[in-house]
């Protein structure tokens, strides 16, 4: 289906922080240290997927949060493979 949000806001956090990314609906925080490269591409894809699995479709407890994270990572790999063939 289509995205539940019309846009995504991406904020790059300054380098030097112990931080990779955080995804909150249509707000994505990413470490500027990931720019540019495949790591950034995967993190963006994973955050977009996490907007579905983890924000719209959530687990019932923290014990099963790993399922949402695993689905987000799997969908991210599928998105990258579909678009870039890698």
């Amino acid at each position: 289906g289509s995205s539940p949000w019309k846009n995504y806001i991406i904020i790059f956090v300054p380098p030097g922080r112990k931080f990779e990314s955080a995804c909150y609906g249509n707000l994505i925080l990413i470490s500027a240290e990931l720019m540019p490269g495949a790591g950034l591409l995967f993190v963006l894809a994973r955050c977009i997927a996490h907007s579905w699995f983890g924000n719209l479709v959530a687990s019932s407890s923290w014990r099963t949060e790993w399922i949402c994270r695993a689905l987000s990572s799997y969908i991210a790999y599928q998105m990258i493979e579909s678009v870039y063939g890698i």
Side-chain angles (χ1 to χ4, degrees):
S2 61
S3 174
W5 292 279
K6 293 183 181 184
N7 58 41
Y8 285 88
I9 301 165
I10 302 169
I11 298 174
F12 290 97
V13 178
R17 307 225 177 4
K18 293 183 179 180
F19 177 83
E20 181 187 76
S21 67
C23 315
Y24 306 102
N26 69 332
L27 173 63
I28 300 171
L29 303 174
I30 295 181
S31 171
E33 293 176 359
L34 290 175
M35 292 182 56
L40 175 63
L41 180 63
F42 175 74
V43 169
L44 281 172
R46 187 182 66 204
C47 283
I48 291 169
H50 191 63
S51 69
W52 287 91
F53 299 104
N55 294 328
L56 292 177
V57 179
S59 57
S60 61
S61 77
W62 285 107
R63 291 180 56 207
T64 56
E65 175 64 20
W66 67 270
I67 296 171
C68 292
R69 296 195 178 275
L71 284 171
S72 296
S73 293
Y74 175 76
I75 295 298
Y77 283 119
Q78 294 298 312
M79 288 167 47
I80 291 169
E81 182 178 352
S82 174
V83 173
Y84 296 101
I86 55 174

